[in-house]
């Protein structure tokens, strides 16, 4: 087999990039509107689990059929949900759109109902069965902030809107129409109309009639949307409609096939084939954006050893086979993969595709991959331009700390000496992230499941830097870092105020967990005052912390007193890190120093957040923060953890 010479190889990558970009449809998960009810949920303890369960059922149904209704629970805190993707979305795009809706929807909490309108899908939940409703008080149109058009556009657009609205009820609720603007060579109007599948033809028609009439009020603006109780409509002068037959899966295999064929053909023929394809693809591409970006990116990818081909990673993981799944993290699902050279890696398939800003994403990956420290998981590279964004990490044989810590039998593998090493290692890793001269990184999601263990059970911090790269997209952030309930610093939760001290707080919680083998707020539905932090604080003040220690620490009699002393010291440092007031918490390097130098006396910690010191009860202002805590627990897509197979 002949290896293509460098310029051809560059073209080859460019070709693949263009091909992938133009086949994969626009997932259209831009938020249009979030509409929340104004009545509060009744009882958090009942409502939250019902809500989460409903969203999970919808997720499964959406994946298989692009539509779903669900109901969990009865009475005032029962939850009814409906979600639907519009007719032109592929199943992959639909899943992405639903994920996005699911992240936005909890922002309505603690109100007991909300509708999320995105450009590609819809999600609504209520405490009653609303499935037959097709009009409601919030119904309205939203006009695009775009250019004004002439009378010809207005006429053609009206026709297209009426056509689509008339056709949809008979066609299963979905239709699109494209009408050429009269007197124009190249301009058209694109319209989509979609009713929820729970409506019968009469209701669907009634909804679309109202929606189309209202949306035409936007004319002659170039863009308008109708957000109705039972339907969604949109018109635009740009083509936002997807080709219905395309899907992520077929794209992936197309790329694989193309790659396979091309690499086995002689270099000259490749050159010709590429030339032809590029010209063709470029014409398609130019409409959407300049080719500059693509060329730049192709060059970067070509130059870099960080780049993995999508097809390589797809093959390495057996097409992301479930049997290779290691776990689910805040940012995506993790698979075990074996590269062609035999190297084992962990491949993280991100929930969100960064295709639209692949160059930026690549730069982030490049930056993160320069961070090297014995207590950080190595990022080996990415597939930044394929149909999905993938990250490649070193794989760690002993999974994550939580799998040991909170398991009574596996916990025995971690005696106190090992745990102390893990604590020190984690602290060193955090110091490196916080004080790195080139780029300062706040992890934001320090928790036991993000501390991975190598073959000698040494700590390696996972998932750092990612939150930073998602920063541009605020909505993604809320998924990704909506860290786990119980680990998040109060000032970050309540006000989004983010400094290194947020990591210090999480580290403090982690110390308590490591020492007790108990999970803070394990029971997400229980009151905050039942938390490990509260219990440990009570014991700390009474001088009875020993009662809480994990039996798996296996304290040996010969050094029992020394170990106990060391453990109490660590707990003390933990409480200094958990203090409510961020400025009182030590920096990570100070905390590390405290852990190492056990002779210098420690100051007395002030109380952890949310607790009235005298009564150990919630104070009133804290109720509000508790609601925020609960919200973040809903927003968490799942616990980040590596499951053993
Ligand atoms: C909420 O429901 C739980 C479980 O039924 C119950 O124990 C608790 O008292 C209720 N809380 C309120 C405030 O009604
Ligand atoms: C839904 O919640 C509202 C407000 O809390 C309540 O008035 C209503 O009775 C609830 N609906 C059902 C079906 O329980
Ligand atoms: C359609 O559904 C609406 C609302 O449930 C109902 O009132 C109406 O009778 C139904 N029409 C037909 C023809 O089934
Ligand atoms: C449209 O957007 C621009 C910039 O975002 C803003 O300045 C302008 O006021 C907007 N116009 C309307 C009609 O909303
Ligand atoms: C349509 O053609 C006109 C002139 O022929 C050009 O100015 C305009 O940019 C074109 N519009 C689109 C959407 O291609
Ligand atoms: C969570 O708390 C509820 C009520 O306090 C209890 O019924 C449930 O078993 C707990 N779940 C776990 C996992 O501890
Ligand atoms: C450990 O401390 C206890 C109480 O301070 C003391 O009675 C005991 O002798 C000590 N044990 C060892 C092995 O030093
Ligand atoms: C406790 C535990 O599972 N230890 C394992 C860590 O990984 C090494 C290398 O794979 C194994 O040999 C240990 O048994």
């Amino acid at each position: 087999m002949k290896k293509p010479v460098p310029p051809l190889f560059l073209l080859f990558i460019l070709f693949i990039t263009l091909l992938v970009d133009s086949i994969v449809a626009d997932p259209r998960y831009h938020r249009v509107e979030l509409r929340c009810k104004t009545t509060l949920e009744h009882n958090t303890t009942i409502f939250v689990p019902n809500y989460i369960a409903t969203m999970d059922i919808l997720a499964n149904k959406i994946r298989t059929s692009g539509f779903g209704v669900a109901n969990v629970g009865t009475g005032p805190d029962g939850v009814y949900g409906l979600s639907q993707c519009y007719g032109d979305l592929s199943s992959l795009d639909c899943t992405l759109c639903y994920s996005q809706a699911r992240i936005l929807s909890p922002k309505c909490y603690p109100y007991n109902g909300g509708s999320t309108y995105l450009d590609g899908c819809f999600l609504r939940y209520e405490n009653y069965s609303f499935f037959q409703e097709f009009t409601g008080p919030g119904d309205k149109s939203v006009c695009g902030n775009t250019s004004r058009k002439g009378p010809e556009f207005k006429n053609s657009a009206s026709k297209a809107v009426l056509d689509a609205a008339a056709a949809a009820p008979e066609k299963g609720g979905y239709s699109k129409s494209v009408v050429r603007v009269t007197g124009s060579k190249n301009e058209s109007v694109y319209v989509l109309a979609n009713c929820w599948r729970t409506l019968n033809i009469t209701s669907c028609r009634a909804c679309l009639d109202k929606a189309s009439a209202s949306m035409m009020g936007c004319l002659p603006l170039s863009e308008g949307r109708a957000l109705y109780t039972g339907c969604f409509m949109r018109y635009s002068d740009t083509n936002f409609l997807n080709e219905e037959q395309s899907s992520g899966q077929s794209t992936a295999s197309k790329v694989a096939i193309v790659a396979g064929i091309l690499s086995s053909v002689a270099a000259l023929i490749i050159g010709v084939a590429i030339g032809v394809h590029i010209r063709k693809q470029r014409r398609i591409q130019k409409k959407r954006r300049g080719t500059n970006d693509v060329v730049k990116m192709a060059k970067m990818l070509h130059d870099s050893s960080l780049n993995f081909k999508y097809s390589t990673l797809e093959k390495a993981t057996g097409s992301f086979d479930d049997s290779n799944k290691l776990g689910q993290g805040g940012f995506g699902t993790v698979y075990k993969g074996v590269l062609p050279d035999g190297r084992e890696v962990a491949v993280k398939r991100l929930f969100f595709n960064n295709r639209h800003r692949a160059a930026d994403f690549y730069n982030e990956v490049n930056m993160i991959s320069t961070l090297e420290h014995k207590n950080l998981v190595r990022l080996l590279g990415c597939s930044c331009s394929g149909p999905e964004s993938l990250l490649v990490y070193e794989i760690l044989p002993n999974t994550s700390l939580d799998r040991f810590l909170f398991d009574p039998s596996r916990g025995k593998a971690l005696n106190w000496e090992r745990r102390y090493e893990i604590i020190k290692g984690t602290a060193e890793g955090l110091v490196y992230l916080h004080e790195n001269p080139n780029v300062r990184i706040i992890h934001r999601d320090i928790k036991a499941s993000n501390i991975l263990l190598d073959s000698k059970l040494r700590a390696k911090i996972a998932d750092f830097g990612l939150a930073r790269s998602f920063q541009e997209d605020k909505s993604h952030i809320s998924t990704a870092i909506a860290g786990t309930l119980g680990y998040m610093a109060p000032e970050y939760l309540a006000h989004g105020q983010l400094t290194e001290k947020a990591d210090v707080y999480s580290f403090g919680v982690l110390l308590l967990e490591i020492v007790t083998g108990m999970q803070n707020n394990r029971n997400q539905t229980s009151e905050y005052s039942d938390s490990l932090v509260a219990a440990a604080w009570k014991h700390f003040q009474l001088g009875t912390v020993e009662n809480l220690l994990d039996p798996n620490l296996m304290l040996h009699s010969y050094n029992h007193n020394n170990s106990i002393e060391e453990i109490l010291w660590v707990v003390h440092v933990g409480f200094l890190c958990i203090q409510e007031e961020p400025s009182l918490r030590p920096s990570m390097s100070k905390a590390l120093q405290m852990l190492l130098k056990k002779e210098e006396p420690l100051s007395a910690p002030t109380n952890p957040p949310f607790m009235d010191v005298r009564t150990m009860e919630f104070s009133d202002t804290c109720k509000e923060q508790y609601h925020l805590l609960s919200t973040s627990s809903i927003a968490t897509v799942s616990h980040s953890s590596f499951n053993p197979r």
Side-chain angles (χ1 to χ4, degrees):
M1 212 187 299
K2 227 175 175 181
K3 199 171 184 276
V5 289
L8 278 177
F9 182 55
L10 179 74
L11 287 175
F12 173 72
I13 290 179
L14 177 62
F15 164 54
I16 294 296
T17 309
L18 290 169
L19 182 70
V20 166
D21 245 12
S22 57
I23 292 173
V24 176
D26 175 3
R28 296 210 313 244
Y29 48 68
H30 304 293
R31 165 179 171 174
V32 180
E33 186 166 284
L34 181 63
R35 202 180 282 166
C36 299
K37 285 282 271 289
T38 51
T39 49
L40 292 167
E41 44 88 15
H42 186 251
N43 180 334
T44 305
T45 313
I46 305 171
F47 173 81
V48 171
N50 284 348
Y51 175 89
I52 293 172
T54 304
M55 294 299 135
D56 281 344
I57 297 171
L58 289 181
N60 282 329
K61 293 189 172 173
I62 276 282
R63 237 194 317 277
T64 52
S65 63
F67 161 80
V69 294
N71 164 231
V72 179
T74 54
D77 285 306
V79 177
Y80 293 77
L82 178 154
S83 187
Q84 181 167 337
C85 288
Y86 306 143
D88 63 329
L89 258 65
S90 70
S91 85
L92 176 65
D93 287 344
C94 178
T95 305
L96 284 169
C97 190
Y98 175 76
S99 307
Q100 179 72 345
R102 185 175 174 175
I103 291 152
L104 292 171
S105 168
K107 296 193 172 163
C108 283
Y109 181 84
Y111 298 115
N112 67 358
S115 298
T116 308
Y117 291 90
L118 300 188
D119 264 340
C121 60
F122 171 77
L123 170 63
R124 179 178 177 192
Y125 75 93
E126 300 284 352
N127 71 344
Y128 67 94
S129 171
F130 59 88
F131 304 139
Q132 306 303 321
E133 290 181 4
F134 57 92
T135 52
D139 290 350
K140 66 169 180 192
S141 311
V142 177
C143 304
N145 177 4
T146 40
S147 54
R148 295 180 72 84
K149 295 288 190 173
E152 292 82 12
F153 179 85
K154 183 171 175 177
N155 289 339
S156 307
S158 302
K159 177 177 177 336
V161 168
L162 293 174
D163 282 356
E170 314 282 347
K171 288 163 68 181
Y174 160 74
S175 82
K176 61 180 180 181
S177 76
V178 180
V179 170
R180 171 80 41 88
V181 173
T182 42
S184 151
K185 280 223 174 67
N186 57 1
E187 205 177 16
S188 297
V189 185
Y190 303 86
V191 179
L192 177 151
N194 220 147
C195 292
W196 315 151
R197 287 194 216 163
T198 48
L199 300 183
N200 60 27
I201 291 181
T202 324
S203 306
C204 176
R205 190 177 301 288
C207 185
L208 290 174
D209 283 350
K210 289 194 160 71
S212 52
S214 144
M215 188 173 72
M216 283 191 288
C218 287
L219 288 168
L221 289 175
S222 61
E223 175 117 16
R225 294 175 178 82
L227 316 178
Y228 273 61
T229 305
C231 59
F232 173 87
M233 286 192 79
R234 177 179 178 190
Y235 79 84
S236 176
D237 65 336
T238 52
N239 186 4
F240 62 89
L241 297 163
N242 290 309
E243 295 300 321
E244 272 138 71
Q245 69 279 9
S246 80
S247 84
Q249 286 301 322
S250 71
T251 303
S253 50
K254 268 180 215 165
V255 173
I257 292 165
V258 170
I261 293 172
L262 284 188
S263 59
S264 61
V265 175
L268 184 65
I269 299 173
I270 295 175
V272 173
I274 286 173
V276 170
H277 273 287
I278 282 185
R279 246 175 289 137
K280 198 164 124 210
Q281 295 296 334
R282 261 198 180 149
R283 246 178 289 132
I284 301 169
Q285 193 61 27
K286 257 188 182 154
K287 270 193 236 156
R288 270 205 258 164
R289 62 163 169 170
T291 50
N292 245 355
D293 249 14
V294 181
V295 174
K296 209 170 82 196
M297 195 170 74
K299 176 155 168 36
M300 258 186 338
L301 295 180
H302 169 61
D303 290 346
S304 166
S305 60
L306 281 176
N307 185 52
F308 289 80
K309 274 193 200 145
Y310 182 84
S311 56
T312 306
L313 296 179
E314 195 192 22
K315 205 164 150 201
T317 56
S319 299
F320 305 105
D321 195 273
D322 265 351
S323 67
N324 286 326
K325 194 165 154 180
L326 292 172
Q328 190 103 311
F331 295 95
T333 311
V334 183
Y335 296 84
K336 180 180 170 169
V338 182
L339 296 177
D341 62 9
R343 256 190 306 165
E344 290 195 343
V345 291
V347 178
K348 178 168 271 188
R349 191 183 199 184
L350 297 178
F351 288 140
F352 294 102
N353 199 331
N354 289 280
R355 203 163 25 87
H356 58 292
R357 45 181 218 91
D360 293 342
F361 184 60
Y362 174 81
N363 284 334
E364 289 296 333
V365 169
N366 199 1
M367 187 280 295
I368 298 170
S369 70
T370 63
L371 299 173
E372 265 187 85
H373 186 271
K374 67 182 171 61
N375 297 112
L376 298 181
V377 176
R378 267 310 294 277
L379 175 61
L380 303 174
C382 68
S383 165
C384 297
S385 58
E388 293 178 285
S389 300
L390 307 174
L391 294 174
V392 184
Y393 288 97
E394 68 172 318
I395 200 163
L396 292 167
N398 283 322
T399 68
S400 54
L401 180 57
D402 62 320
R403 316 296 306 181
F404 288 89
L405 219 45
F406 308 131
D407 182 317
S409 96
R410 298 184 84 198
K412 293 194 201 319
L414 298 180
N415 60 19
W416 171 242
E417 283 72 25
R418 285 209 161 117
R419 291 187 196 199
Y420 187 59
E421 288 306 312
I422 288 171
I423 289 170
K424 281 192 295 188
T426 305
E428 286 171 33
L430 279 172
V431 170
Y432 177 84
L433 288 176
H434 288 179
E435 297 180 5
N436 191 297
N438 300 324
V439 51
R440 174 189 136 192
I441 290 187
I442 303 174
H443 189 294
R444 306 171 204 225
D445 201 13
I446 287 294
K447 57 185 172 188
S449 57
N450 269 337
I451 309 298
L452 308 191
L453 300 176
D454 74 1
S455 59
K456 292 183 176 155
L457 297 172
R458 288 175 304 205
K460 291 203 172 221
I461 301 173
D463 258 5
F464 54 88
L466 279 185
R468 185 177 176 278
S469 75
F470 280 89
Q471 210 152 18
E472 266 181 26
D473 248 318
K474 289 286 189 294
S475 50
H476 291 184
I477 275 269
S478 59
T479 13
I481 43 111
T484 312
L485 178 64
Y487 286 97
M488 293 179 83
E491 75 280 3
Y492 182 30
L493 264 175
H495 312 295
Q497 184 190 330
L498 182 68
T499 65
E500 283 88 348
K501 296 297 177 71
D503 282 350
V504 174
Y505 180 92
S506 311
F507 177 72
V509 174
L510 185 66
L511 292 190
L512 296 185
E513 292 186 336
I514 290 177
V515 164
T516 61
M518 286 186 261
Q519 202 165 358
N520 193 35
N521 285 59
R522 178 206 184 120
N523 197 335
Q524 299 215 341
T525 61
S526 76
E527 293 283 301
Y528 196 80
S529 52
D530 293 340
S531 75
L532 169 63
V533 172
W537 177 245
K538 202 186 286 184
H539 281 286
F540 182 75
Q541 294 205 304
L542 298 173
T544 54
V545 169
E546 280 179 57
N547 296 346
L548 276 180
L549 300 188
D550 186 352
N552 280 336
L553 289 171
M554 311 264 188
L555 301 171
H556 300 296
S557 52
Y558 66 89
N559 64 357
H560 182 269
N561 285 3
N562 280 344
S563 295
I564 291 283
E565 209 173 285
E566 197 170 61
I567 291 168
L568 296 183
W569 187 269
V570 165
V571 169
H572 193 147
V573 173
F575 277 115
L576 288 171
C577 293
I578 303 174
Q579 295 178 94
E580 177 160 20
E581 173 55 44
S583 64
L584 295 178
R585 294 174 212 150
S587 68
M588 261 334 288
S589 54
K590 184 81 183 106
L592 178 61
Q593 225 173 44
M594 291 174 179
L595 288 168
L596 297 175
K597 285 196 188 157
K598 288 167 215 146
E599 56 281 359
E600 283 174 22
L602 298 174
S603 59
T606 60
N607 63 297
F610 310 141
M611 228 91 55
D612 183 306
V613 188
R614 278 166 299 116
T615 61
M616 289 294 190
E617 301 277 22
F618 272 141
S619 52
D620 269 353
T621 53
C622 296
K623 275 270 193 278
E624 195 189 327
Q625 284 171 322
Y626 177 59
H627 274 308
L628 281 161
L629 279 169
S630 311
T631 315
S632 79
S633 80
I634 299 175
T636 305
V637 172
S638 67
H639 291 265
S640 182
S641 64
F642 283 71
N643 298 313
R645 293 188 297 121

